Amino acid sequence: MSAADKKMNYRDVVQPNYRHVGKYTPRIDAKDIVTGHATYLDDFNVPGQLYGKTLRSPYPHAKILSIDATKAEALPGVRAVVTYKNAPEQWGLGLPVHRHLLEDEVWCVGDVVALVAADTLEIAEEALDLIDVEYKKLPAVFNAEDALKEGAPQLYKRFPGNHVDNGIKYFQPDGPWWQIRRGDPEAAFAECAYVAEDRVEFDKMPSPAAPETPSAIAKWTGGTDYTLWASSQSSHILKLMAEGRIDHSNFDVRTFNVGGSYGNKQSLMTTVLSACMLSRVTSKPVKVVMTKEEQLTCYEVRLGSIMNAKIGITKDGIVNAIKGKWLVDTGSIADSIQGQVGVGLGEAQLVCAKCANWDMDSEIAVTNRQAAGIVRGYGGQELNSCLERLMATAMKEGNLNPLDVFKKNYVAPGDRFQWRDGRWWQSRSSMFFPEAMQGAADRFDWDKKWVGWNKPYWVSPDGKKARGVGMGVIGNADINEDNTECICRIIPDLVGKPRASKTVIEMDVTESGMGTRSNVVKQVAEILNVPVETVYITDPGSKYNPSNYGLCGSRGTITTGKAATLAAMECKQKALELAATHFHRSIDQMETKDYMVYVRDTPELMVPMFKLCDKELSICGYGKHLELFNIPSCIAVFVDVEVDLETGRQRLLHIGAGTDIGQILDPKAVEMQLHGGIGSACVDTASMEECLQDPITGRLVTASMLEYKMRTFNEFPTYDAYVMESQIDSYVFKALGIGEVSGAALGGAVLMAISNATGKDIKTYPATPGVILSALGKA
């Protein structure tokens, strides 16, 4: 029986027959999006608002000797110019805080020098040119290795030697955790059949490049109160971070549709604090919208990563020992970077779950590059992209098939690992991850295309082009992270004809493209057995909704799903209890459909829910999810790459993927998430995406979408996914989140494929034509 047959038989036997779940349902925001009626922050304005702009540093590190805003302040229409000299308060940046929003020193090209608020955007931009600044250039450092050397320029007093604190209490309540240390790696290396030691760099710090730029409107309403509208994917995180920066503040955060975030638009601290500062000074609402150039050159980029490590594999393909250091470049601001490092170390353990011997250290450095942070994932992709290239070096020593190695080593139920909180967790995720990998490999024709390490499976007759294949695996235990709560209300129509009911979900869920709001609605409709179109969800925002950490770490599926379904189940239970009393029957004889409650064996005995409610009141339910890290996800990816051996250009021909997603909530949403990983995750960081910096001026030369290279839609390869639904015990609908990891292993897979096509080991991200030609000796 083929893997595909097994898949179909498995689904036929196990998958429940739901009314809504598992079936395609048009998204609740679909019509507004395609007709242009969906509201994004750029569409929204507040009466009387001003427009804010930022004067930015032309130098990577400098002291401000003098700053004169007199001419700018005199320009008609300018309401305020704020510098370090006249700022009413000093608001900190970073976690731990190590600098302020406005100081007499700047630490990267594009750093904040002055803020302007004006009646129009044009006036604000004109005012920037009228501010006179005299700088004294200071020594700068542009990579983590140089920053940590003795005698390197020191950036912050808070970080002696430019070394960022190891661990942080917010993420590791039991104490700092930044190392995986257990077993005896040195003794274990002696037992390994294949040992490789290497260096892999993933340090070009690519941009998130979300279509919508970071933006915010801040309104200081007096005292400690602020109202904030922002293009954030999480109003809760934004409120948490903002109130942590502005002492004794109280934020009412409101969000809209987000035009792509990729994890990158959550706290938006510099943008948000700039808008708040201008509103505080002018007592007016102020709108700050980054330009695309600012987004590319001044906003957060991906962490820079360098891995120097040694890895040992046994004769039968088990990773038995790992020793090394992960060096992280966080740029000019370190903002809770320790959590990302913790997740990266955790994800490494998922891929090498059978390894009992570890000595993996990490070190974070600040540099004079733009700030790095959360980009298309939370720290795991950077380390995984390096780790899997190192694994490839060791697998090559033993001529091991990577499919076999990844299947044997990936985390399985019962395996233990440490996650970002530093605590030990035991996996209770799917036992079918190896089967999903094999099923995807079969559909990809892996066995036919894999002909060995650094060997192309096809070469053109003229010898100018060659094709190779590669694969990678990644997963994430963050899909179950952070607490979430929900209130569900069945509301009776008061005067409707015919009298009926509707359901309102009170939950803080921002729509940033994944369809999470629609999936929450669908799941509640399934629990209550009512039409989807009668279920509504409240607008996102922090003031009135119950707490929800937001859509990060692919947590939305389980966390919002669990809280919402538990709230709906409590609603349903109350309706059944009321109906049981009404009919003088036991609760287990009651059932619901379309806001009617009936006796199961006597369906003609039924009563509308609105008649069961107290007069004009609702039936209410409450549900919550509490944080766990014991259900990791998994995806294996396979790529087929063609390389032009004369020009170094490479073309991605096909992607295959295999995963066990538990229950599919909506097949088209899953397809969208998997395909979205091509453009928003990691694939092009292996071949073209990089922030190129002038080594002398420190300025980025990739300042527009012409210079910054990434794949366009017409260049997407064909894609085929093998998706299993093994009903993983996550919550009532047995689903897992897959979005963040959907393309996260593609970087390593592409480099493996290019190496096989060219016959040369490629270990530099991205493998541009220049890198490939250099490896071929043709540069």
Side-chain angles (χ1 to χ4, degrees):
M1 182 182 293
S2 70
D5 290 333
K6 288 181 183 179
K7 173 195 172 190
M8 291 308 299
N9 286 344
Y10 189 81
R11 289 184 61 181
D12 290 345
V13 172
V14 177
Q15 189 182 29
N17 183 24
Y18 293 118
R19 178 176 176 179
H20 305 300
V21 167
K23 301 175 176 64
Y24 166 65
T25 305
R27 279 176 47 168
I28 58 178
D29 56 353
K31 185 176 179 181
D32 283 346
I33 290 175
V34 299
T35 59
H37 288 88
T39 300
Y40 297 85
L41 189 123
D42 192 53
D43 303 313
F44 184 80
N45 296 295
V46 177
Q49 76 182 19
L50 304 175
Y51 295 85
K53 292 296 294 183
T54 303
L55 180 67
R56 300 188 178 277
S57 169
Y59 303 114
H61 194 196
K63 190 78 171 178
I64 298 175
L65 299 179
S66 66
I67 184 166
D68 184 357
T70 305
K71 289 183 285 186
E73 291 169 333
L75 184 68
V78 170
R79 301 299 186 94
V81 179
V82 184
T83 70
Y84 77 92
K85 296 171 66 175
N86 66 344
E89 295 183 13
Q90 289 283 21
W91 294 340
L93 289 173
L95 190 65
V97 171
H98 49 276
R99 56 161 294 179
H100 296 110
L101 176 67
L102 290 161
E103 292 200 29
D104 64 349
E105 190 170 342
V106 288
W107 288 274
C108 68
V109 173
D111 208 346
V112 180
V113 173
L115 303 171
V116 172
D119 291 340
T120 69
L121 191 60
E122 293 75 16
I123 294 173
E125 290 172 339
E126 183 180 351
L128 295 182
D129 294 332
L130 299 176
I131 302 173
D132 294 321
V133 187
E134 183 183 359
Y135 299 92
K136 176 186 177 182
K137 290 192 285 185
L138 300 174
V141 61
F142 299 125
N143 66 74
E145 285 184 317
D146 289 344
L148 294 172
K149 290 178 181 177
E150 187 175 351
Q154 297 298 288
L155 273 64
Y156 304 109
K157 293 180 181 178
R158 181 66 180 77
F159 300 140
N162 298 321
H163 172 80
V164 178
D165 302 32
N166 292 320
I168 195 166
K169 189 171 183 179
Y170 182 84
F171 294 102
Q172 292 112 28
D174 301 333
W177 182 72
W178 70 97
Q179 302 162 314
I180 312 171
R181 285 190 169 166
R182 54 182 177 265
D184 187 345
E186 292 301 335
F189 281 125
E191 300 170 358
C192 294
Y194 316 109
V195 177
E197 191 166 2
D198 217 334
R199 171 189 173 97
V200 183
E201 300 177 359
F202 189 64
D203 63 344
K204 299 303 188 295
M205 303 174 76
S207 169
E212 178 195 34
T213 63
S215 47
I217 302 173
K219 182 180 180 181
W220 179 54
T221 53
T224 60
D225 295 336
Y226 294 83
T227 302
L228 186 65
W229 298 264
S231 62
S232 168
Q233 69 182 67
S234 172
S235 60
H236 180 91
I237 292 177
L238 182 44
K239 177 180 173 67
L240 179 70
M241 298 296 280
E243 291 182 354
R245 299 298 189 273
I246 302 177
D247 289 342
H248 310 297
S249 59
N250 177 41
F251 273 80
D252 171 12
V253 180
R254 306 174 190 184
T255 57
F256 305 93
N257 293 278
V258 177
S261 172
Y262 316 144
N264 189 246
K265 283 154 46 182
Q266 293 193 47
S267 63
L268 307 101
M269 266 302 95
T270 303
T271 305
V272 163
L273 292 182
S274 297
C276 290
M277 180 67 75
L278 290 171
S279 182
R280 182 68 179 268
V281 170
T282 62
S283 297
K284 293 275 191 178
V286 178
K287 186 173 188 176
V288 176
V289 178
M290 274 192 162
T291 64
K292 182 60 67 175
E293 181 181 11
E294 287 177 309
Q295 181 190 17
L296 287 170
T297 60
C298 308
Y299 194 63
E300 290 178 357
V301 292
R302 188 188 287 278
L303 302 177
S305 292
I306 297 174
M307 184 179 181
N308 293 284
K310 182 179 180 181
I311 189 166
I313 300 180
T314 64
K315 189 173 183 179
D316 58 353
I318 299 297
V319 177
N320 193 41
I322 299 176
K323 181 178 181 178
K325 175 175 279 191
W326 177 24
L327 186 56
V328 178
D329 187 340
T330 186
S332 58
I333 300 176
D335 198 351
S336 64
I337 212 78
Q338 298 90 338
Q340 292 183 251
V341 168
V343 170
L345 295 174
E347 291 189 10
Q349 294 169 82
L350 300 184
V351 174
C352 301
K354 313 305 178 185
C355 183
N357 304 283
W358 291 79
D359 184 5
M360 176 61 72
D361 197 4
S362 68
E363 191 166 15
I364 307 169
V366 285
T367 66
N368 293 111
R369 301 191 66 162
Q370 68 195 99
I374 307 167
V375 174
R376 310 183 198 172
Y378 193 66
Q381 295 180 25
E382 292 86 349
L383 179 57
N384 191 77
S385 296
C386 296
L387 175 65
E388 293 195 0
R389 290 308 296 147
L390 180 65
M391 291 176 68
T393 303
M395 287 186 276
K396 179 185 172 186
E397 290 291 316
N399 197 29
L400 300 173
N401 188 320
L403 174 61
D404 296 333
V405 173
F406 283 126
K407 285 166 59 178
K408 290 177 180 179
N409 284 278
Y410 197 76
V411 70
D415 289 339
R416 298 177 72 240
F417 56 89
Q418 285 176 281
W419 201 247
R420 65 166 167 82
D421 56 355
R423 295 171 175 170
W424 282 93
W425 295 87
Q426 187 170 38
S427 174
R428 60 181 184 89
S429 197
S430 173
M431 68 177 65
F432 296 99
F433 287 152
E435 182 176 336
M437 294 183 204
Q438 186 63 55
D442 291 346
R443 290 166 70 134
F444 184 82
D445 284 336
W446 176 262
D447 286 345
K448 294 180 181 178
K449 294 180 179 179
W450 176 261
V451 293
W453 290 95
N454 289 13
K455 295 179 181 178
Y457 76 87
W458 174 89
V459 179
S460 64
D462 59 8
K464 293 182 178 180
K465 294 182 179 180
R467 295 176 182 174
V469 293
M471 71 165 295
V473 176
I474 199 169
N476 191 347
D478 271 352
I479 60 175
N480 215 6
E481 70 175 346
D482 298 313
N483 299 340
T484 300
E485 58 184 347
C486 175
I487 296 171
C488 182
R489 295 190 294 138
I490 298 174
I491 303 174
D493 281 354
L494 302 181
V495 293
K497 294 183 180 180
R499 295 284 296 279
S501 300
K502 62 183 177 182
T503 302
V504 172
I505 305 164
E506 296 181 12
M507 198 172 212
D508 184 12
V509 182
T510 301
E511 185 53 69
S512 52
M514 297 84 82
T516 305
R517 289 172 62 83
S518 296
N519 278 340
V520 170
V521 166
K522 171 183 284 194
Q523 292 174 84
V524 168
E526 187 69 53
I527 293 292
L528 298 178
N529 197 13
V530 299
V532 170
E533 58 270 19
T534 66
V535 181
Y536 303 86
I537 185 169
T538 53
D539 291 337
S542 65
K543 188 170 185 177
Y544 301 112
N545 284 313
S547 177
N548 178 22
Y549 208 75
L551 300 180
C552 50
S554 295
R555 65 182 294 279
T557 297
I558 294 179
T559 59
T560 61
K562 183 177 180 180
T565 53
L566 287 175
M569 290 166 70
E570 186 171 298
C571 271
K572 181 176 180 177
Q573 180 68 14
K574 289 180 178 179
L576 295 176
E577 290 172 355
L578 291 168
T581 301
H582 178 84
F583 288 117
H584 304 289
R585 302 291 180 96
S586 64
I587 293 176
D588 60 6
Q589 291 179 289
M590 299 292 104
E591 191 50 83
T592 65
K593 184 177 182 181
D594 296 342
Y595 298 105
M596 305 290 289
V597 188
Y598 61 90
V599 180
R600 189 177 292 107
D601 57 0
T602 314
E604 62 270 18
L605 293 178
M606 65 176 65
V607 59
M609 285 187 183
F610 72 81
K611 288 189 175 181
L612 297 172
C613 298
D614 292 326
K615 184 178 179 181
E616 300 182 5
L617 299 183
S618 304
I619 300 175
C620 296
Y622 171 82
K624 65 181 179 181
H625 164 81
L626 297 179
E627 178 176 87
L628 295 167
F629 295 116
N630 59 354
I631 305 182
S633 61
C634 173
I635 191 166
V637 294
F638 301 82
V639 297
D640 190 345
V641 174
E642 180 179 279
V643 179
D644 188 317
L645 304 176
E646 297 292 315
T647 66
R649 290 178 61 88
Q650 58 87 12
R651 185 163 64 100
L652 183 56
L653 303 175
H654 180 65
I655 296 176
T659 184
D660 185 352
I661 200 172
Q663 172 67 50
I664 289 177
L665 300 178
D666 189 296
K668 287 191 179 294
V670 172
E671 181 181 8
M672 177 192 70
Q673 288 286 69
L674 293 173
H675 288 197
I678 301 172
S680 66
C682 212
V683 63
D684 287 334
T685 58
S687 56
M688 62 182 81
E689 286 194 68
E690 56 184 338
C691 289
L692 293 174
Q693 187 179 39
D694 185 313
I696 297 176
T697 65
R699 298 182 185 183
L700 288 184
V701 298
T702 47
S704 79
M705 295 309 293
L706 291 176
E707 291 87 14
Y708 187 86
K709 304 302 181 185
M710 62 187 304
R711 192 174 304 270
T712 55
F713 285 108
N714 62 340
E715 296 176 305
F716 273 31
T718 56
Y719 189 101
D720 183 28
Y722 180 91
V723 181
M724 295 183 64
E725 298 181 82
S726 69
Q727 306 297 297
I728 296 165
D729 187 20
S730 54
Y731 68 109
V732 64
F733 287 126
K734 317 295 186 186
L736 295 186
I738 195 64
E740 180 177 326
V741 299
S742 60
L746 283 168
V750 169
L751 255 59
M752 185 190 295
I754 293 174
S755 299
N756 290 333
T758 60
K760 303 292 183 181
D761 285 323
I762 306 293
K763 300 170 186 175
T764 300
Y765 290 92
T768 59
V771 169
I772 293 172
L773 290 177
S774 179
L776 292 169
K778 299 180 179 180

